Amino acid sequence: MSPPQCPVFIRGEWREINSVATSPVFNPSTGEIIAETPLCAPKQVDEAVEAAAAAFPAWSETPPTERARVLFRFRMLLEENFEEIVRCNTREHGKTLVESRGDVRRGIEMIEFACGVPSLLMGESLENVARGIDCDTIRQPLGVCAGITPFNFPAMVPLWMYPVAIACGNTFVLKPSEKVPLTAIKIAKLLEQAGLPKGVFSIVHGGRDCVDALLTHPKVKAISFVGSTPIARYIFETGTKHGKRVQSNGGAKNFVFLMPDADVENSVRGLVEAAYGCAGERCMAGSTAIVIGDAAKKVLPSLIDAARAIKVGRTDVEQQPNMGPVITREHRDRVERLIETGLKEGAKIATDGRGVKVDGAPNGFFLGATVLDHVQAGMTVAREEIFGPVLNVMRFDDLDSAIELANKSPYGNGASIFTGSGKAAREFKHRIQCGMVGINIGVPASMAWFPFNGWNESFFGDLHMQGKEGVQFFTQQKVTTTRWFSFDEGDIWHREQQR
């Protein structure tokens, strides 16, 4: 029996697209193909965008309170179907059930933020900016917006985008990753059930042809993207070239600093979570440990023991491991090649996750936790985003030289420090060149009310996702300057009266 094909959602209708190529959706725990994703042509993209454009006038005129009520119902439905969505997420992505619950929960928090849109859209006013003249601002929606999302957070990342866009009065076309479309589809069916009018939200699937059709379509006003840095740059350059507003999140190389006075137990726990959570497949992964001075002797033995103790296994079963598989066989092989390259370039392997075997799942895409010690700045593993369960360890004598090295990275998502010193923490916070900083926190990813604040080549654009910047991205300001005359005031009226 052939695996089912994922439907598109256009004009409020779910339907399959025939006569197009497809891409497999795997259960990474077993290697089994569980669905096929159609690779939509520009024709289907155009149909979805035209439907969104047709729905925009009525939706943009819908009062913000009514738009918020749809999102309130949407949130309620997500809570009612929470575990079903979690298990779908785990099945197609491979992350553990605990990690999938976090993925869905963070997405729900974005909906909760968007439900406050009546307050978020409030403008400003000033009376008597000049004599008898008042000025005010309002925020209005852009039109058709589009989102292109990655495989690593099937629930959260799409929910970074369209709840805020829709709450602000825009219509939206989502292109989820062809590797993990099932969670996005399941959540979209709940949005439909919540009462969203037809055409306000659509889903298309595909690869580069589909993406390019969105980037160049004249009726798409804004593009949101999360993915690797080379693609993020392409999305930004192509979208802006075609006159679109773009927010484009790229990759990262995040550093976790360990000072000699850091609490060993809490530091190791935070670092292990940062490096190996979601099998390292996240743009906020703490992929490089910067150990300062005596921290190497104090922390590394416990860190290596903790990495070796991580149980890898199937996540599509009730008995859950500590870490699941990576997304595809090809990705696993790529990470293994990077480990081998690191060893050839002089890194030392402290614990090796290659070749891990999982009972009952010989075809799963498994890779164990790996620690590469004595990594140097020029090595490939130090430069490239590995996006897998590999932790680099770099050793420094002092904080100053470590910060100097970290600030040479072309990326700029996050960096953390574990220390008991307020002075060291303040110095680190002030000097480190990245957008999200953690103090005794392994993963300093911001919550829904604050921007996801990448810098440098981790972000292309002006307004970030989440928080007030997300609202600003999906709206445009209008400034009105007003003066009213009495009938007998002003030169024009005075002259008319004299005639």
Side-chain angles (χ1 to χ4, degrees), residues 277-343:
C278 299
E281 295 174 317
R282 52 186 180 183
C283 61
M284 288 300 291
S287 58
T288 302
I290 303 287
V291 291
I292 312 295
D294 290 343
K297 291 186 294 185
K298 294 179 179 179
V299 177
L300 284 185
S302 297
L303 170 65
I304 292 167
D305 288 344
R308 288 173 177 164
I310 292 175
K311 180 184 177 183
V312 180
R314 291 179 61 171
T315 54
D316 61 341
V317 293
E318 290 304 313
Q319 189 67 34
Q320 288 284 290
N322 305 117
M323 187 172 75
V326 296
I327 188 68
T328 62
R329 181 176 290 104
E330 290 77 16
H331 185 58
R332 181 196 62 193
D333 294 346
R334 172 188 172 273
V335 175
E336 290 184 344
R337 287 195 299 271
L338 282 169
I339 294 170
E340 183 61 31
T341 298
L343 298 178

Side-chain angles (χ1 to χ4, degrees), residues 435-486:
M436 290 170 279
V437 176
I439 309 297
N440 294 320
I441 292 174
V443 183
S446 54
M447 301 289 283
W449 302 270
F450 294 89
F452 191 84
N453 210 43
W455 284 13
N456 305 329
E457 293 189 13
S458 290
F459 179 75
F460 301 88
D462 297 310
L463 294 168
H464 296 83
M465 297 175 190
Q466 298 193 156
K468 292 181 180 179
E469 284 195 41
V471 175
Q472 293 167 8
F473 179 79
F474 287 117
T475 57
Q476 52 193 348
Q477 281 199 106
K478 181 179 289 184
V479 182
T480 303
T481 305
T482 305
R483 179 179 180 183
W484 292 103
F485 297 101
S486 296

